[in-house]
Amino acid sequence: MGASFSTVGPAVQQRLGIGSRIGWRVSWPRRFVARSLVGEFEAEQRRWFLWLPVLLGTGIATFFALHDPPPLWIAAAGAIAAAAAFVVAGSVWRSHGTIGAVLLGIAVLCAGFALAHYRLHAVAAPILARAGAYDVSGRVVALEPLQAGDRVLLDGVTLQGVPLPGTPEYVRINLRRSPAGLEPGDRLEVRARLQRPLGPTVPGGFDYGRQAWFEQLGAIGYSLGPARRTPASGADRDLAIAELRARVAARIADQHPGPAGGMAAALVAGVRAGIDQQTWRAMQVSGLAHILSVSGLHMVMVAGSMFAACRWSLALIPPLALRYPVKKLAAALSLGAVTFYLLLSGASVPAQRSYLMTAVALVAIMVDRNPFSLRLLAWAAIVVLLLRPEAVFGASFQLSFAAVLALMAVMEAWQKLRRHPEIEPGLARAVLRYLAGISVTTLVAGAATTPFAAFHFQTIPTYGVLANLIAVPI
C-alpha cells in the first residue's frame, strides 16, 4: 500500500490501463511549474543582488539557531565551501547565469554561517563566575547620567579575589553618587554588587546575556558605597568621543532636568539612560519609542538641514557659486556632519544603517547618480551584517530594515503607477499632499514593523498610527 506510482511494474500499469497517459499528466504540470519558476527567476536577474543580504542573514541565523556551537572545523569547511562556490560561480556566470547565481547564493549562505562562527569566537571574553560584592577598579570609557547618579562602563578592570584570566573585559555599574568631575578616561575605585548578565526572562524573550557576550560585557551591578576617582592619565579617539558625548548629555540634563532633558539627550547624543521609566513606558505604549533611537529620521534631519543650509549659503557667494557645483559641495559637508553625528550618538545598529544609506545617497548626489534604490538598502544590510552578524536577531535591525524596505517598495510601486506629470500645487494642496504623505508612510512603516514589535516587546500600540501622525510632523 505504501508503494508509489514509480514502483509499479510496467505489466501492472498496462493491465490497469495507466500507462504513459497518467505519467504524462503527472510530469507535465511538474515541467510547467519548473519552467515557470526558472523563467521568473531569470526575468528577475536585475534584482538578484537584492537577495544577497537575505541569504547572508539566513546563513547567520542558521548558525545562531543551533542549540550548541558546532566545532571549529565545520566553520572552516563552510568558509572553504563558500570560497569554492564563489570561484565556480565566477567561472560559469557568463555561460550559465542561472547556475552561477545559484552557486553564488550557496556561497553567501556558507559565508554567513562561517562569519557568525568567527564573530562568536572573536569577541570571546571572560564572564563573572560568581555573583557577590567586589572591590572594583577600572577606567571609565562611557558615562551616562541617570535620574539618580550615573551609569559607568569600565575597562581595564581588576576585581579583588578574581584572577586576571577570569576578570571581565568590561563591567557596567550604576553609581548612586558619582565623584565630582568624573569624566571618561578617569580611573574609578568602588565597592559594588556584581553579577553576570542575565538571559531571557521568558522562553523566546530578549536575551540580554547574548547581547552582552558580543559587547564583551562580563558583569553588571550597582555600587555599595562612595566611588573614588583618579584623574585620567591619557586619552584616545574613542575616549574623546565618549567624553564629548557625556559632556553634551550632562549639559542637557543640567539645563533641562527631568523627562524633557532625558529625551533631548537621547535625541542629540544617543544617551537614553536619563529617561525615567514612566516616560519610557509612555513612549512604548504610544508607539513613539522609535523616535528615541537614533535612526533614519534623525540622520535625514541632520543631513537635510545641513545640506539646505550649506547649499543656500554657498549660493550667496557669486565667485563660488559661478565656478563650482555648490550642490556637490553641500553634499560633501553634509556627509561630514552626519559622520560626526554617528560617532556622537554611539553608532547603534539603526544609526549605522541610516548612516550608510544617507552616506551613499550623498555620494550619489556628488557623482550625479540616483540615490533612491533598493540596492542602497541591500548594501547597507550587507555592511551591517558583515560588521555585526549578531544584529540579525536584534529588534533594532529588524524594525529598521523592515520599515525602510516597505517604504522603498511602496515608493517604487507608486512611481510605476504614476503616469501623469505632477501639477504644481498651491499652498493648500501642498499642505494636503504633505499630510497625505506622512499618513501613508506612517501606515506603511507601522504595518511592516508591527509583527516584529509584537514578537520582541509582546505588545501592539493601539494608537501608534495616530500618535505618529501627530508627533512625526512636529
Side-chain angles (χ1 to χ4, degrees), residues 5-298:
F5 178 80
S6 60
T7 61
V8 180
V12 177
Q13 293 181 25
Q14 183 177 6
R15 187 183 308 170
L16 296 177
I18 54 172
S20 60
R21 182 174 55 190
I22 291 183
W24 178 84
R25 290 178 181 175
V26 172
S27 60
W28 179 82
R30 293 178 181 176
R31 290 200 304 268
F32 177 77
V33 171
R35 290 176 181 175
S36 300
L37 292 177
V38 173
E40 288 289 335
F41 183 72
E42 293 178 348
E44 293 289 327
Q45 184 172 0
R46 297 184 61 183
R47 292 182 176 269
W48 285 354
F49 176 79
L50 304 181
W51 287 96
L52 291 184
V54 178
L55 296 172
L56 183 63
T58 302
I60 296 171
T62 301
F63 174 83
F64 287 120
L66 299 177
H67 187 268
D68 294 314
L72 187 60
W73 68 268
I74 294 183
I80 295 173
F86 272 121
V87 172
V88 177
S91 62
V92 303
W93 185 269
R94 292 185 178 276
S95 57
H96 301 86
T98 303
I99 298 176
V102 172
L103 291 174
L104 180 61
I106 296 173
V108 174
L109 275 171
C110 296
F113 189 91
L115 178 65
H117 199 291
Y118 166 78
R119 174 69 174 171
L120 180 69
H121 290 83
V123 299
I127 298 177
L128 187 66
R130 181 178 59 86
Y134 296 89
D135 290 328
V136 185
S137 175
R139 184 182 64 164
V140 179
V141 293
L143 177 65
E144 302 178 7
L146 300 173
Q147 291 294 311
D150 293 298
R151 176 183 296 167
V152 295
L153 181 67
L154 306 177
D155 73 349
V157 178
T158 58
L159 301 179
Q160 184 180 15
V162 178
L164 188 60
T167 302
E169 188 77 16
Y170 292 96
V171 173
R172 179 174 291 153
I173 301 175
N174 290 354
L175 302 178
R176 297 178 180 178
R177 294 188 307 273
S178 298
L182 182 65
E183 295 180 349
D186 293 343
R187 297 288 301 182
L188 192 70
E189 297 179 359
V190 64
R191 183 151 183 93
R193 171 75 181 182
L194 300 179
Q195 65 179 16
R196 61 169 48 199
L198 301 177
T201 56
V202 296
F206 173 67
D207 192 349
Y208 182 70
R210 180 173 60 191
Q211 176 179 315
W213 172 268
F214 288 102
E215 293 177 353
Q216 297 183 314
L217 181 62
I220 57 175
Y222 56 89
S223 63
L224 298 176
R228 296 174 296 278
R229 165 183 172 265
T230 303
S233 57
D236 54 22
R237 187 196 65 179
D238 294 336
L239 282 178
I241 296 173
E243 182 179 354
L244 178 61
R245 184 184 306 119
R247 288 185 177 182
V248 170
R251 182 174 178 83
I252 293 174
D254 291 340
Q255 296 294 326
H256 302 280
M263 294 182 66
L267 296 175
V268 175
V271 178
R272 293 182 287 178
I275 302 176
D276 59 279
Q277 289 297 324
Q278 184 178 359
T279 303
W280 182 254
R281 180 59 181 167
M283 296 294 288
Q284 287 180 322
V285 171
S286 62
L288 298 176
H290 66 92
I291 294 179
L292 300 178
S293 175
V294 176
S295 57
L297 175 65
H298 311 76

Side-chain angles (χ1 to χ4, degrees), residues 368-380:
D368 298 321
R369 299 293 182 183
N370 179 21
F372 301 103
S373 170
L374 285 173
R375 287 177 173 266
L376 182 66
L377 183 65
W379 273 116

Side-chain angles (χ1 to χ4, degrees), residues 330-372:
L333 294 173
S334 300
L335 181 58
V338 294
T339 302
F340 173 76
Y341 183 54
L342 173 72
L343 298 176
L344 179 65
S345 63
S348 61
V349 172
Q352 292 177 20
R353 187 270 309 164
S354 305
Y355 170 78
L356 290 171
M357 296 189 65
T358 305
V360 173
L362 292 173
V363 172
I365 292 175
M366 288 186 275
V367 297
D368 298 321
R369 299 293 182 183
N370 179 21
F372 301 103

